Amino acid sequence: MAQTQERKLSSWIESFVEFNSLRAAPKIYLEWCALSTIAGALERRCWVQTNAGELYPNLYLLLVGAPGSGKDQAIMQAREFWLGTHKVNLSPLSMTGKGLLDELAEESSQRQYIDHGLWINYHTMIVAVPEFGVLLPGHDLQFMSILNELYECHPLFEERLRKQEERFRIERPHLHILAGTQPNFLAAVLPETAFGMGFMSRIIMVYHPTPTRMPLFTKPKFNASLQSHLAHDLEQVCAMRGQFSFDADVLIAVEAWHIQGCIDTMPTHSKLRHYSARRILHALKLSMAFSAARSNSLIVTLADWTAALKQLYAAELLMPEIFKEMSANSQNAVMEEVVNFCISLPGLVRESQIHTFLASRVPSYQVSSTFDLLLKAGVVVPDGLNLPGQRMFKVTGPQKLETGK
């Protein structure tokens, strides 16, 4: 059932970007934060019915960029509008993984609505934090598995309590994440194998490479009218409930993209292989958000579907740049460690010593390739015997590596 009250804005997303246009945040971050704000406000009151079951519009969204790129500015604006509704359950900024389940199980996270004469009870929480590392400080497989399950919005989340016969239960959980992080952090906490697992396939990563600079002392003009309209329409979104439907031409377009279009446009980077399998789900979630951003109709139009794909393509185009930064930062860090190690030894260094040291810093299958990179970059230079494994090296110092992967 949708609200009948008229909207003030033709597009909440475009208006959010306009309202924050003078903030030190790039447009791509603002657009995705606007989408996240709408999708989060729908909670699990709205859905799309597929042959696999109900699909809810919750997202796991990561804004990725260097310090000063505008992640905090964009995320905090989304938080402000969520807070202004006094309806959504918003996590504290210091939300940790350890406390997430306890918060989600709290009575304050519980919501109800009536559907066909039945009371529907669910637990919801929006995690909006500028630093993803607060929520996930390390590669915690158990916690990532919990996040995987909560993403699916199953009817019941259940976990056996340690050393007890009791079971921890959350009825109809809903979790929506908007967070910021840096490529350095991802490289530090996510091993190569993490991208072959389910958690990273559920995350949409939005990248911006450079800081966004705005005047320090010129105060932007505050648009009180636009803020009021944004707040009004977001409250409308918070009242929407029911199943989204599709115009006939949209159903044809969605099926065509699902069968072939998603294959033709599939990202080619190896780390995105498992993410690509979930692209249809990401696209459907975004199409619900685009629909709810303009109307209470609960109808996804062809324009909504097209906008969803365009937004997804824009993010996917830049995802490989994240992996380039992760790789470059990781390799440069290893080079610095090799230099420090070699300097600590008297005289020349044996090749076998460098290999042994590398084996303690990188996976075994990367030892030889990393050593070759050190040679190519001129970090170590042969000096003396030229027998494989017995060569002696001197250190010239770390050089910046060019990585293309």
Side-chain angles (χ1 to χ4, degrees), residues 268-309:
T268 57
H269 198 287
S270 60
K271 284 188 171 70
L272 295 174
R273 182 163 59 92
H274 294 283
Y275 160 87
S276 294
R278 291 183 176 273
R279 292 174 78 217
I280 182 61
L281 304 182
H282 295 316
L284 286 171
K285 286 170 179 275
L286 292 176
S287 68
M288 284 188 271
F290 271 104
S291 172
R294 61 168 180 79
S295 165
N296 299 322
S297 67
L298 290 172
I299 297 173
V300 176
T301 66
L302 189 58
D304 297 327
W305 173 250
T306 302
L309 291 183

Side-chain angles (χ1 to χ4, degrees), residues 92-124:
L93 285 170
S94 58
M95 170 58 65
T96 63
K98 192 173 182 180
L100 186 144
L101 285 179
D102 291 336
E103 288 280 346
L104 188 57
E106 285 287 337
E107 186 176 345
S108 59
S109 77
Q110 188 171 293
R111 301 289 186 272
Q112 300 91 19
Y113 66 90
I114 299 176
D115 182 43
H116 295 92
L118 297 175
W119 276 102
I120 305 298
N121 180 75
Y122 65 98
H123 288 251
T124 177

Side-chain angles (χ1 to χ4, degrees), residues 325-394:
E325 279 208 43
M326 289 170 60
S327 176
N329 291 331
S330 176
Q331 289 167 345
N332 283 329
V334 169
M335 284 198 298
E336 289 180 11
E337 289 194 60
V338 169
V339 169
N340 291 331
F341 166 72
C342 293
I343 289 175
S344 70
L345 300 177
L348 299 177
V349 186
R350 287 187 182 277
E351 180 177 355
S352 58
Q353 290 177 297
I354 299 175
H355 273 262
T356 301
F357 178 80
L358 284 173
S360 69
R361 294 295 186 273
V362 300
S364 57
Y365 66 88
Q366 291 183 0
V367 170
S368 294
S369 59
T370 304
F371 183 77
D372 290 341
L373 280 172
L374 293 170
L375 286 173
K376 181 180 177 182
V379 177
V380 293
V381 177
D383 190 319
L385 292 175
N386 198 29
L387 298 174
Q390 298 300 315
R391 290 179 293 179
M392 305 295 290
F393 290 85
K394 63 180 180 181

